[in-house]
Amino acid sequence: MKRLFLIEFHKLKNNRAAKVLSLIYFILFSAIALFASIRFNFGSIDFRLADQGIFNFPYIWHFNAYIVAFLKLFLAVVIVSMVSSEYTNRTLKQNLIDGLSKKEFILSKFYGVLGFALASTLLLFIVSLILGLIFSDYNEVGIIFSDLEYIFAYFLKLIGFFSMCLFFGILLRRSAFALGFLFLLWIFEGIVQLFVKFQAESLEFIVNFLPLQSMGNLIIEPFSRLGIIKSAATQLNSEFEKSYDVEWSAILIVMAWSFIFIFSSWKLLQKRDL
């Protein structure tokens, strides 16, 4: 495992585009937290997003996991471009000549996926913890470390999404095609959801099994949990009835998709004549 991880790390270290995109990702990650803590003064208006309760424990785990997940596309580009570079630079063929098996190659890529997901999750945990300790109105230990399931859901969401990007990269061999296919999948799932919503509501459960939708189901939008939103809904006699829990069904579906994408990547590579 260590040898395969080091092989992937060495490739990443020598890939300038991957390093730049990874750096942009982590800078944007930190910038979101910085932006939320800035106080804006416009005449009589004194506003700071952090004062709206978004950094209160335990809500911060849910809010940050949901918001930061949108940045995963940057790391997806890194993963897809690194896979495509294996074909364009013929390093895949050279690795196989040097004694690396196709199974080990896929495992090395999966360890890269794990590395990105772990690093991003660890950063999410540290940044959220620091922001919470600074801005939260609740600092009891029991409250601070409740709702940590959103951190796990974020990690699993990245694993599923990056595994899918890895599969598309191996399937199509070109990063532009792989990212284009990802975009088409997003459009396709949107069309399916609209069709089910307006034409076949009895089949609504099927939507939850679509890959992108299942990953989205891991972390439900957190905005309607905010006190200011709940108060507004109460005044309008339109209270929300929604479960914000990380559902086991969503966890199992995403785990299944992750396995399918990694296994399919291996089988696809096995059948190809490189």
Side-chain angles (χ1 to χ4, degrees):
M1 176 178 175
K2 182 180 178 181
R3 178 175 69 93
L4 297 177
F5 182 80
L6 289 175
I7 290 173
E8 196 61 24
F9 179 76
H10 179 73
K11 292 177 181 178
L12 175 64
K13 187 175 65 173
N14 292 295
N15 189 315
R16 184 179 179 182
K19 288 190 292 186
V20 169
L21 285 169
S22 299
L23 183 61
I24 291 174
Y25 169 81
F26 289 112
I27 289 175
L28 286 175
F29 193 118
S30 303
I32 289 177
L34 180 63
F35 175 79
S37 63
I38 294 175
R39 185 179 295 277
F40 297 93
N41 291 293
F42 301 100
S44 60
I45 299 176
D46 185 8
F47 177 80
R48 184 171 65 169
L49 193 58
D51 294 334
Q52 308 308 308
I54 63 172
F55 292 153
N56 278 339
F57 288 119
Y59 177 76
I60 188 173
W61 304 119
H62 186 183
F63 180 83
N64 282 5
Y66 180 82
I67 295 298
V68 172
F70 287 102
L71 298 178
K72 65 184 181 294
L73 187 60
F74 284 93
L75 294 183
V77 174
V78 173
I79 291 169
V80 168
S81 64
M82 289 193 66
V83 172
S84 65
S85 68
E86 297 281 1
Y87 289 99
T88 55
N89 299 331
R90 304 187 70 81
T91 50
L92 170 55
K93 187 172 184 178
Q94 186 60 49
N95 285 155
L96 297 178
I97 292 173
D98 292 339
L100 195 71
S101 69
K102 292 181 178 180
K103 180 180 178 180
E104 288 176 323
F105 175 80
I106 292 298
L107 281 175
S108 71
K109 292 300 176 188
F110 180 65
Y111 293 150
V113 164
L114 276 178
F116 277 122
L118 281 171
S120 185
T121 303
L122 182 61
L123 183 62
L124 171 66
F125 176 80
I126 293 173
V127 170
S128 299
L129 182 62
I130 292 173
L131 289 173
L133 291 174
I134 294 173
F135 295 109
S136 178
D137 296 328
Y138 313 103
N139 292 313
E140 293 82 1
V141 174
I143 294 178
I144 290 175
F145 294 106
S146 59
D147 281 5
L148 284 179
E149 62 265 25
Y150 292 108
I151 301 298
F152 169 73
Y154 174 78
F155 171 74
L156 185 58
K157 187 173 186 175
L158 293 188
I159 292 293
F161 187 71
F162 294 161
S163 297
M164 181 172 62
C165 292
L166 173 61
F167 171 69
F168 288 162
I170 291 176
L171 176 67
L172 300 170
R173 306 188 188 189
R174 294 290 184 273
S175 56
F177 291 162
L179 293 172
F181 196 82
L182 181 63
F183 179 67
L184 290 176
L185 176 62
W186 176 70
I187 293 176
F188 170 75
E189 289 197 12
I191 293 173
V192 171
Q193 290 179 49
L194 288 174
F195 174 78
V196 169
K197 182 177 181 179
F198 294 106
Q199 299 293 332
E201 289 189 15
S202 61
L203 300 176
E204 191 172 356
F205 71 96
I206 293 178
V207 172
N208 295 324
F209 288 90
L210 298 174
L212 291 176
Q213 181 61 39
S214 65
M215 296 169 200
N217 288 342
L218 283 171
I219 307 175
I220 304 299
E221 61 81 21
F223 306 110
S224 53
R225 286 183 67 184
L226 277 172
I228 187 173
I229 303 297
K230 286 184 176 180
S231 298
T234 301
Q235 293 175 8
L236 295 171
N237 295 320
S238 179
E239 295 187 17
F240 297 104
E241 292 185 4
K242 180 188 292 188
S243 172
Y244 299 96
D245 296 336
V246 179
E247 301 289 348
W248 275 105
S249 57
I251 291 173
L252 293 175
I253 292 171
V254 174
M255 290 178 67
W257 275 118
S258 300
F259 173 79
I260 289 170
F261 287 131
I262 296 299
F263 182 77
S264 299
S265 298
W266 174 51
K267 296 303 289 184
L268 185 63
L269 200 61
Q270 269 191 325
K271 294 180 178 180
R272 278 187 177 163
D273 183 12
L274 303 173

